Amino acid sequence: MAKQKGSVKAKGTVDGNLNFYKTIAWGYLARLIPGVDAKRFREDPAFEGSRKSARRFGEGNIMCSIIYRFVPQKRRFRHLFKQVRTIAIVCLKHDMSKADVFNAIYTFLEQEKRISLTREQFDVLLASFEQELAERLNEPKEEKVKKSKNKLELIVTAPLQQEDNEFLALHMDDYDWKVSFEGTFPDDYQVPLFLLQHVA
């Protein structure tokens, strides 16, 4: 993280990964946004473990949602779904079959007296649960197009110098930006005309 210096500070994100922000402790900072792009996550062998973990999480989430429908509203509480999902993910991590995972979820909910299904009903529905899981896992997923956020809020804390004016006039066309003036300015200070369209 780099500290922003000078009389013009910025908040916002530009060029997709350059982020300007303000913290209480450190003031105005700049950084590259951390993270991995989706293509690298999908293809790089270094992320194989993360991909497996993400698949388990998604699969466990779907399995829980299938069975959770049979938990009456009155018997639900705030963290019940999370508990059930955790059971599913742990079971999947231990390479249990789908039927065994559904069974573990059902057993937990039955012991907690939360589910409205009897064991016989569950056994009859188990094949349909597995079929629904397979269908939902095979649904085509839309590729999310990440929009480049080129929005900036500039905070001017002292009168702008000639080079600041030139930079703002010539090099900010690619960005959606607003400017605000904070601080003490001389009584005779005049805001450059080109900035008036960007005043917040």
Side-chain angles (χ1 to χ4, degrees):
M1 294 176 289
K3 199 166 179 89
Q4 295 183 46
K5 298 276 188 184
S7 60
V8 180
K9 307 289 193 292
K11 290 195 290 189
T13 303
V14 294
D15 300 332
N17 67 348
L18 184 57
N19 182 241
F20 299 95
Y21 62 104
K22 181 182 181 182
T23 65
I24 294 171
W26 297 96
Y28 289 93
L29 302 171
R31 68 175 179 171
L32 287 176
I33 294 177
V36 178
D37 66 342
K39 183 178 179 187
R40 183 171 173 215
F41 181 80
R42 284 191 310 266
E43 297 173 4
D44 192 335
F47 294 100
E48 183 59 35
S50 298
R51 287 192 295 270
K52 281 183 183 175
S53 181
R55 277 192 295 272
R56 276 194 303 267
F57 183 82
E59 204 169 314
N61 224 13
I62 293 171
M63 293 175 96
C64 291
S65 69
I66 290 170
I67 289 198
Y68 204 71
R69 290 182 288 215
F70 298 98
V71 176
Q73 287 288 341
K74 293 180 197 173
R75 295 184 190 168
R76 295 179 183 187
F77 63 92
R78 191 172 183 190
H79 299 291
L80 182 62
F81 188 86
K82 287 181 184 178
Q83 287 178 320
V84 173
R85 182 178 59 207
T86 301
I87 291 168
I89 292 169
V90 168
C91 291
L92 290 169
K93 194 170 186 176
H94 287 92
D95 294 324
M96 292 172 67
S97 70
K98 308 292 187 255
D100 289 342
V101 176
F102 277 121
N103 194 37
I105 295 169
Y106 174 80
T107 302
F108 170 76
L109 290 170
E110 185 183 42
Q111 288 172 350
E112 295 290 316
K113 297 184 177 25
R114 300 283 175 188
I115 196 159
S116 60
L117 287 177
T118 64
R119 173 56 74 174
E120 293 77 26
Q121 291 170 326
F122 171 78
D123 291 337
V124 169
L125 291 171
L126 182 58
S128 67
F129 292 164
E130 290 177 309
Q131 182 180 353
E132 182 180 346
L133 173 65
E135 289 170 2
R136 287 175 64 180
L137 287 173
N138 291 326
E139 286 176 355
K141 293 175 180 65
E142 284 184 34
E143 281 289 322
K144 293 180 183 174
V145 178
K146 210 173 191 181
K147 281 192 207 172
S148 180
K149 298 177 190 171
N150 283 327
K151 261 189 164 173
L152 274 180
E153 177 189 344
L154 301 179
I155 298 97
V156 178
T157 57
L160 292 170
Q161 303 299 317
Q162 182 62 32
E163 64 186 53
D164 297 328
N165 288 333
E166 288 174 8
F167 181 84
L168 293 173
L170 300 174
H171 301 290
M172 295 293 286
D173 291 340
D174 293 340
Y175 308 116
D176 176 15
W177 59 284
K178 296 287 181 199
V179 65
S180 61
F181 293 86
E182 299 175 4
T184 308
F185 292 86
D187 292 336
D188 61 343
Y189 179 71
Q190 293 183 352
V191 175
L193 289 176
F194 76 92
L195 284 180
L196 293 178
Q197 65 182 343
H198 297 287
V199 173

